[in-house]
Amino acid sequence: MTLCKDVDLSHLDPCVEVEPYTPYIGAVIHGLDLSKPLSMEVQCALQQTLAKYEVIFFRDQPLTPAQQVAFTRIFGQVNEVKAFFPRVQSQPEIEVVESTPERPGASNNWHADITWQANPPIGTSLSAQVIPARGGDTVWASMTRAYEALPTEFKAYLETLSATHTWELSGWTEYLLRQDASGDQLQAARAKYPPVTHPVVRVHPVTGKKILYVNPTFTTHIHGLPRMQSDALLTQLFALITAPEIQARFRWQAHSLAVWDNRSTQHYAVADFYPQHRKLHRVTFTADRAFG
């Protein structure tokens, strides 16, 4: 995928509107039918719009699984998923993110997807299938804005650091043991996905902006610091995510679709809807190198 230059989505078609969602993050895009093929100009403009706003939202898009996958390919490579969620049988690129009265499972923690891999996904699309009557919002935070708000000297210090990311910090360890009490499935996952190292500050390859790249679900410690000092620094950095000024809270409706940049944002699924049913289809997209 090649990002096009100097293409304004709202100038391509007078029926298309890009409506900023908050002053710092997010936009709602009106006037497109995502079930139909889009011109190369529109595809390029969507790529730029996502990089600029970090998360984009669409309403009234009743997409089939195949249509969601086809649309998501605008933003990157779409392959079979590498996380642990169930998949749509007819479309294995799609994970089913579902909470039911019997199996509540909202991801009510701040994270970026799969940062425990050396080359994490660059983004995700999420399509609403079953939505609670009340609750079940998702919140995104801009890690570009989180970084920009820091003092200059502190930024310079953070840019010298790296940190370890692992899926074992999250709830997946317990999940795999529930699936296989023998521990064989857990040991296989450990062998396949060992901990990885990422810089604490990364540079977005499209915008050139710097990103705070640690998250409380997968980041365990800062290299070269004693444990207490590392924990204290991470606690300070994790607290930046919770500032409402850098967040966009999206209220799902039937056939809503969200696409976000997994490099420059973190997200949180609000678990306030039990025992209601919530079901979404998730497609992650990748690049040969997430950060160039």
Side-chain angles (χ1 to χ4, degrees):
M1 182 196 72
T2 302
L3 185 81
C4 304
K5 302 295 184 181
D6 301 323
V7 181
D8 190 321
L9 183 60
S10 59
H11 291 169
L12 291 175
D13 186 332
C15 296
V16 177
E17 178 189 2
V18 178
E19 176 190 2
Y21 197 68
T22 77
Y24 292 135
I25 176 175
V28 182
I29 299 179
H30 307 277
L32 288 177
D33 182 350
L34 306 185
S35 69
K36 298 178 179 178
L38 302 174
S39 70
M40 287 303 301
E41 291 80 8
V42 169
Q43 293 184 38
C44 290
L46 283 169
Q47 295 167 18
Q48 280 197 319
T49 303
L50 178 60
K52 177 179 178 180
Y53 291 99
E54 302 184 332
V55 56
I56 54 178
F57 306 115
F58 303 85
R59 298 290 193 189
D60 303 316
Q61 301 289 339
L63 303 180
T64 67
Q67 288 169 341
Q68 183 185 355
V69 171
F71 170 71
T72 306
R73 284 199 173 98
I74 290 172
F75 303 99
Q77 302 165 15
V78 174
N79 304 301
E80 285 197 27
V81 294
K82 298 181 176 64
F84 306 115
F85 288 102
R87 306 179 187 186
V88 172
Q89 186 173 5
S90 64
Q91 204 72 50
E93 302 93 341
I94 296 180
E95 297 170 299
V96 181
V97 181
E98 186 170 22
S99 298
T100 66
E102 298 75 26
R103 296 177 64 88
S107 301
N108 56 330
N109 45 62
W110 284 107
H111 65 286
D113 289 333
I114 321 182
T115 63
W116 40 266
Q117 290 189 358
N119 191 44
I122 63 172
T124 304
S125 77
L126 199 61
S127 176
Q129 304 297 306
V130 180
I131 298 302
R134 294 168 300 280
D137 297 352
T138 303
V139 188
W140 283 265
S142 170
M143 304 317 296
T144 305
R145 295 291 180 175
Y147 172 84
E148 290 173 350
L150 297 173
T152 301
E153 296 80 5
F154 192 31
K155 291 179 186 175
Y157 171 64
L158 293 177
E159 289 171 22
T160 68
L161 302 177
S162 60
T164 292
H165 294 237
T166 174
W167 57 269
E168 290 199 65
L169 187 62
S170 67
W172 286 115
T173 300
E174 292 76 12
Y175 171 82
L176 292 174
L177 286 173
R178 289 196 301 270
Q179 298 295 305
D180 176 12
S182 72
D184 291 344
Q185 194 170 343
L186 174 61
Q187 292 305 319
R190 283 174 170 165
K192 187 173 184 179
Y193 301 116
V196 300
T197 297
H198 292 296
V200 169
V201 177
R202 308 218 65 158
V203 178
H204 195 286
V206 177
T207 66
K209 294 182 178 180
K210 293 181 179 178
I211 301 158
L212 185 62
Y213 202 71
V214 293
N215 70 84
T217 300
F218 300 126
T219 308
T220 59
H221 62 277
I222 304 291
H223 295 179
L225 296 183
R227 173 60 68 174
M228 289 184 62
Q229 187 175 348
S230 170
D231 289 349
L233 178 55
L234 285 175
T235 298
Q236 181 181 4
L237 297 179
F238 295 158
L240 300 172
I241 306 167
T242 64
E245 290 81 0
I246 67 168
Q247 295 177 1
R249 179 167 180 154
F250 186 62
R251 176 162 294 178
W252 292 96
Q253 299 172 356
H255 308 308
S256 294
L257 178 77
V259 183
W260 67 91
D261 190 316
N262 194 56
R263 295 166 291 198
S264 58
T265 65
Q266 293 184 35
H267 56 283
Y268 183 108
V270 181
D272 59 353
F273 56 92
Y274 181 84
Q276 300 176 85
H277 185 194
R278 181 178 185 266
K279 179 180 179 181
L280 304 105
H281 283 177
R282 186 176 85 164
V283 181
T284 58
F285 51 95
T286 64
D288 291 338
R289 295 181 63 186
F291 288 95

